[in-house]
Amino acid sequence: KNQVEQSPQSLIILEGKNCTLQCNYTVSPFSNLRWYKQDTGRGPVSLTIMTFSENTKSNGRYTATLDADTKQSSLHITASQLSDSASYICVVSERSQGNLIFGKGTKLSVKP
Amino acid sequence: SQTIHQWPATLVQPVGSPLSLECTVEGTSNPNLYWYRQAAGRGLQLLFYSVGIGQISSEVPQNLSASRPQDRQFILSSKKLLLSDSGFYLCAWNQGRYSTEAFFGQGTRLTVV
């Protein structure tokens, strides 16, 4: 069954610190993997998208990695800010129909 | 450009009342359409997805149903709401197997009282 697992479920860090969120998937055939940021009560906003051949992509202080062999991805946030507090969702698209499989997200809280 | 509209933004409904949430997409054709729910403190849960008019797949048995009467219209319904139906409902779309992006509506906050 196509699944996306994220860890940790929640994370609290101090402002200015770095953190890394994990995403493991069993989606096949794989098309692409996206990381989204979702503020409370809002729709998710895309941070990065990676296809099979890409293993790193950056968007400002966000850097995503993809290992298609082990089916793992990570999202690294550097020099965290209070505004980074949100849920981060990993989404994998399977290639046959383009269906999206969502992880349950990691809730990040950045404290001053 | 492509846009997605979802309404209403907030809704308070009594237990046992019907529900109809609507989502429409503009600027594209034959999109894949999705309904998700996010209960308080929980992750996104896929409820329904559709790859074409009249084609609805249900991921989780529940008190809800979905319909796709037109190519770019996706409706989430219930005949009788339960307290457990409260949550944040998101509509999303992508362009199918060759898609490199997915787009989300702004969500509907449903409170069943």
Side-chain angles (χ1 to χ4, degrees), chain A residues 28-44:
Chain A
S28 181
F30 173 86
S31 177
N32 55 67
L33 184 147
R34 308 172 175 88
W35 282 94
Y36 287 87
K37 177 185 179 185
Q38 185 186 17
D39 293 314
T40 301
R42 305 291 295 275

PDB file of all heavy atoms in Angstrom, chain A residues 28-44:
ATOM      1  N   SER A  28       4.802   3.703  -5.003  1.00  0.00           N
ATOM      2  CA  SER A  28       5.361   3.149  -6.230  1.00  0.00           C
ATOM      3  C   SER A  28       4.273   3.045  -7.294  1.00  0.00           C
ATOM      4  O   SER A  28       3.155   2.621  -6.975  1.00  0.00           O
ATOM      5  CB  SER A  28       5.969   1.777  -5.958  1.00  0.00           C
ATOM      6  OG  SER A  28       6.538   1.241  -7.141  1.00  0.00           O
ATOM      7  N   PRO A  29       4.532   3.402  -8.526  1.00  0.00           N
ATOM      8  CA  PRO A  29       5.763   4.033  -9.001  1.00  0.00           C
ATOM      9  C   PRO A  29       5.837   5.501  -8.582  1.00  0.00           C
ATOM     10  O   PRO A  29       4.843   6.203  -8.589  1.00  0.00           O
ATOM     11  CB  PRO A  29       5.636   3.909 -10.527  1.00  0.00           C
ATOM     12  CG  PRO A  29       4.154   3.879 -10.769  1.00  0.00           C
ATOM     13  CD  PRO A  29       3.553   3.158  -9.605  1.00  0.00           C
ATOM     14  N   PHE A  30       7.042   5.921  -8.255  1.00  0.00           N
ATOM     15  CA  PHE A  30       7.271   7.260  -7.716  1.00  0.00           C
ATOM     16  C   PHE A  30       7.301   8.287  -8.844  1.00  0.00           C
ATOM     17  O   PHE A  30       7.866   8.047  -9.912  1.00  0.00           O
ATOM     18  CB  PHE A  30       8.605   7.251  -6.969  1.00  0.00           C
ATOM     19  CG  PHE A  30       9.061   8.606  -6.483  1.00  0.00           C
ATOM     20  CD1 PHE A  30       8.625   9.094  -5.268  1.00  0.00           C
ATOM     21  CD2 PHE A  30       9.937   9.364  -7.246  1.00  0.00           C
ATOM     22  CE1 PHE A  30       9.053  10.326  -4.820  1.00  0.00           C
ATOM     23  CE2 PHE A  30      10.368  10.603  -6.812  1.00  0.00           C
ATOM     24  CZ  PHE A  30       9.925  11.089  -5.581  1.00  0.00           C
ATOM     25  N   SER A  31       6.705   9.444  -8.586  1.00  0.00           N
ATOM     26  CA  SER A  31       6.765  10.541  -9.542  1.00  0.00           C
ATOM     27  C   SER A  31       7.554  11.709  -8.971  1.00  0.00           C
ATOM     28  O   SER A  31       8.554  12.128  -9.544  1.00  0.00           O
ATOM     29  CB  SER A  31       5.363  11.010  -9.924  1.00  0.00           C
ATOM     30  OG  SER A  31       5.440  12.115 -10.798  1.00  0.00           O
ATOM     31  N   ASN A  32       7.090  12.267  -7.867  1.00  0.00           N
ATOM     32  CA  ASN A  32       7.808  13.366  -7.243  1.00  0.00           C
ATOM     33  C   ASN A  32       7.429  13.475  -5.777  1.00  0.00           C
ATOM     34  O   ASN A  32       6.472  12.845  -5.319  1.00  0.00           O
ATOM     35  CB  ASN A  32       7.541  14.686  -7.979  1.00  0.00           C
ATOM     36  CG  ASN A  32       6.067  14.992  -8.087  1.00  0.00           C
ATOM     37  OD1 ASN A  32       5.416  15.257  -7.076  1.00  0.00           O
ATOM     38  ND2 ASN A  32       5.535  14.981  -9.298  1.00  0.00           N
ATOM     39  N   LEU A  33       8.213  14.266  -5.056  1.00  0.00           N
ATOM     40  CA  LEU A  33       7.989  14.454  -3.620  1.00  0.00           C
ATOM     41  C   LEU A  33       8.003  15.940  -3.333  1.00  0.00           C
ATOM     42  O   LEU A  33       8.875  16.674  -3.798  1.00  0.00           O
ATOM     43  CB  LEU A  33       9.076  13.737  -2.814  1.00  0.00           C
ATOM     44  CG  LEU A  33       8.936  13.754  -1.288  1.00  0.00           C
ATOM     45  CD1 LEU A  33       9.484  12.454  -0.690  1.00  0.00           C
ATOM     46  CD2 LEU A  33       9.610  14.943  -0.655  1.00  0.00           C
ATOM     47  N   ARG A  34       7.034  16.368  -2.548  1.00  0.00           N
ATOM     48  CA  ARG A  34       6.902  17.781  -2.204  1.00  0.00           C
ATOM     49  C   ARG A  34       6.912  17.947  -0.687  1.00  0.00           C
ATOM     50  O   ARG A  34       6.418  17.092   0.039  1.00  0.00           O
ATOM     51  CB  ARG A  34       5.592  18.348  -2.720  1.00  0.00           C
ATOM     52  CG  ARG A  34       5.304  18.113  -4.184  1.00  0.00           C
ATOM     53  CD  ARG A  34       3.883  18.564  -4.459  1.00  0.00           C
ATOM     54  NE  ARG A  34       3.507  18.506  -5.856  1.00  0.00           N
ATOM     55  CZ  ARG A  34       2.995  17.450  -6.445  1.00  0.00           C
ATOM     56  NH1 ARG A  34       2.803  16.347  -5.775  1.00  0.00           N
ATOM     57  NH2 ARG A  34       2.659  17.488  -7.731  1.00  0.00           N
ATOM     58  N   TRP A  35       7.431  19.062  -0.244  1.00  0.00           N
ATOM     59  CA  TRP A  35       7.283  19.488   1.136  1.00  0.00           C
ATOM     60  C   TRP A  35       6.404  20.745   1.146  1.00  0.00           C
ATOM     61  O   TRP A  35       6.616  21.674   0.351  1.00  0.00           O
ATOM     62  CB  TRP A  35       8.630  19.796   1.774  1.00  0.00           C
ATOM     63  CG  TRP A  35       9.411  18.593   2.183  1.00  0.00           C
ATOM     64  CD1 TRP A  35      10.367  17.945   1.459  1.00  0.00           C
ATOM     65  CD2 TRP A  35       9.304  17.890   3.429  1.00  0.00           C
ATOM     66  NE1 TRP A  35      10.866  16.886   2.185  1.00  0.00           N
ATOM     67  CE2 TRP A  35      10.228  16.829   3.385  1.00  0.00           C
ATOM     68  CE3 TRP A  35       8.526  18.061   4.581  1.00  0.00           C
ATOM     69  CZ2 TRP A  35      10.400  15.934   4.454  1.00  0.00           C
ATOM     70  CZ3 TRP A  35       8.690  17.172   5.624  1.00  0.00           C
ATOM     71  CH2 TRP A  35       9.625  16.121   5.557  1.00  0.00           C
ATOM     72  N   TYR A  36       5.447  20.727   2.079  1.00  0.00           N
ATOM     73  CA  TYR A  36       4.550  21.867   2.236  1.00  0.00           C
ATOM     74  C   TYR A  36       4.639  22.392   3.662  1.00  0.00           C
ATOM     75  O   TYR A  36       4.867  21.635   4.616  1.00  0.00           O
ATOM     76  CB  TYR A  36       3.093  21.478   1.977  1.00  0.00           C
ATOM     77  CG  TYR A  36       2.747  21.241   0.528  1.00  0.00           C
ATOM     78  CD1 TYR A  36       2.939  19.996  -0.043  1.00  0.00           C
ATOM     79  CD2 TYR A  36       2.212  22.258  -0.253  1.00  0.00           C
ATOM     80  CE1 TYR A  36       2.602  19.763  -1.373  1.00  0.00           C
ATOM     81  CE2 TYR A  36       1.870  22.043  -1.583  1.00  0.00           C
ATOM     82  CZ  TYR A  36       2.074  20.789  -2.132  1.00  0.00           C
ATOM     83  OH  TYR A  36       1.745  20.574  -3.443  1.00  0.00           O
ATOM     84  N   LYS A  37       4.393  23.693   3.786  1.00  0.00           N
ATOM     85  CA  LYS A  37       4.243  24.326   5.097  1.00  0.00           C
ATOM     86  C   LYS A  37       2.781  24.719   5.253  1.00  0.00           C
ATOM     87  O   LYS A  37       2.208  25.355   4.359  1.00  0.00           O
ATOM     88  CB  LYS A  37       5.137  25.563   5.200  1.00  0.00           C
ATOM     89  CG  LYS A  37       4.996  26.317   6.508  1.00  0.00           C
ATOM     90  CD  LYS A  37       5.827  27.600   6.488  1.00  0.00           C
ATOM     91  CE  LYS A  37       5.659  28.368   7.792  1.00  0.00           C
ATOM     92  NZ  LYS A  37       6.355  29.682   7.751  1.00  0.00           N
ATOM     93  N   GLN A  38       2.199  24.330   6.388  1.00  0.00           N
ATOM     94  CA  GLN A  38       0.808  24.673   6.627  1.00  0.00           C
ATOM     95  C   GLN A  38       0.670  25.419   7.938  1.00  0.00           C
ATOM     96  O   GLN A  38       0.890  24.855   9.010  1.00  0.00           O
ATOM     97  CB  GLN A  38      -0.082  23.426   6.647  1.00  0.00           C
ATOM     98  CG  GLN A  38      -1.555  23.758   6.784  1.00  0.00           C
ATOM     99  CD  GLN A  38      -2.428  22.545   6.948  1.00  0.00           C
ATOM    100  OE1 GLN A  38      -1.958  21.461   7.263  1.00  0.00           O
ATOM    101  NE2 GLN A  38      -3.730  22.709   6.727  1.00  0.00           N
ATOM    102  N   ASP A  39       0.314  26.690   7.844  1.00  0.00           N
ATOM    103  CA  ASP A  39      -0.002  27.456   9.037  1.00  0.00           C
ATOM    104  C   ASP A  39      -1.384  27.036   9.537  1.00  0.00           C
ATOM    105  O   ASP A  39      -2.239  26.613   8.750  1.00  0.00           O
ATOM    106  CB  ASP A  39       0.016  28.957   8.741  1.00  0.00           C
ATOM    107  CG  ASP A  39       1.413  29.449   8.405  1.00  0.00           C
ATOM    108  OD1 ASP A  39       2.350  29.074   9.133  1.00  0.00           O
ATOM    109  OD2 ASP A  39       1.573  30.191   7.423  1.00  0.00           O
ATOM    110  N   THR A  40      -1.610  27.174  10.826  1.00  0.00           N
ATOM    111  CA  THR A  40      -2.862  26.731  11.426  1.00  0.00           C
ATOM    112  C   THR A  40      -4.046  27.402  10.746  1.00  0.00           C
ATOM    113  O   THR A  40      -4.077  28.621  10.601  1.00  0.00           O
ATOM    114  CB  THR A  40      -2.866  27.051  12.932  1.00  0.00           C
ATOM    115  OG1 THR A  40      -1.755  26.395  13.548  1.00  0.00           O
ATOM    116  CG2 THR A  40      -4.149  26.559  13.572  1.00  0.00           C
ATOM    117  N   GLY A  41      -5.016  26.589  10.332  1.00  0.00           N
ATOM    118  CA  GLY A  41      -6.225  27.117   9.726  1.00  0.00           C
ATOM    119  C   GLY A  41      -6.061  27.609   8.299  1.00  0.00           C
ATOM    120  O   GLY A  41      -6.967  28.250   7.762  1.00  0.00           O
ATOM    121  N   ARG A  42      -4.932  27.288   7.672  1.00  0.00           N
ATOM    122  CA  ARG A  42      -4.701  27.724   6.295  1.00  0.00           C
ATOM    123  C   ARG A  42      -4.396  26.521   5.415  1.00  0.00           C
ATOM    124  O   ARG A  42      -4.087  25.427   5.882  1.00  0.00           O
ATOM    125  CB  ARG A  42      -3.523  28.696   6.233  1.00  0.00           C
ATOM    126  CG  ARG A  42      -3.638  29.900   7.142  1.00  0.00           C
ATOM    127  CD  ARG A  42      -4.730  30.831   6.689  1.00  0.00           C
ATOM    128  NE  ARG A  42      -4.458  31.417   5.397  1.00  0.00           N
ATOM    129  CZ  ARG A  42      -3.723  32.509   5.208  1.00  0.00           C
ATOM    130  NH1 ARG A  42      -3.173  33.120   6.230  1.00  0.00           N
ATOM    131  NH2 ARG A  42      -3.557  32.977   3.991  1.00  0.00           N
ATOM    132  N   GLY A  43      -4.478  26.708   4.117  1.00  0.00           N
ATOM    133  CA  GLY A  43      -4.090  25.657   3.200  1.00  0.00           C
ATOM    134  C   GLY A  43      -2.579  25.528   3.125  1.00  0.00           C
ATOM    135  O   GLY A  43      -1.848  26.475   3.384  1.00  0.00           O
ATOM    136  N   PRO A  44      -2.077  24.338   2.781  1.00  0.00           N
ATOM    137  CA  PRO A  44      -0.618  24.139   2.665  1.00  0.00           C
ATOM    138  C   PRO A  44      -0.020  24.976   1.548  1.00  0.00           C
ATOM    139  O   PRO A  44      -0.650  25.203   0.517  1.00  0.00           O
ATOM    140  CB  PRO A  44      -0.498  22.648   2.355  1.00  0.00           C
ATOM    141  CG  PRO A  44      -1.793  22.047   2.788  1.00  0.00           C
ATOM    142  CD  PRO A  44      -2.825  23.090   2.571  1.00  0.00           C
TER     143      PRO A  44
END
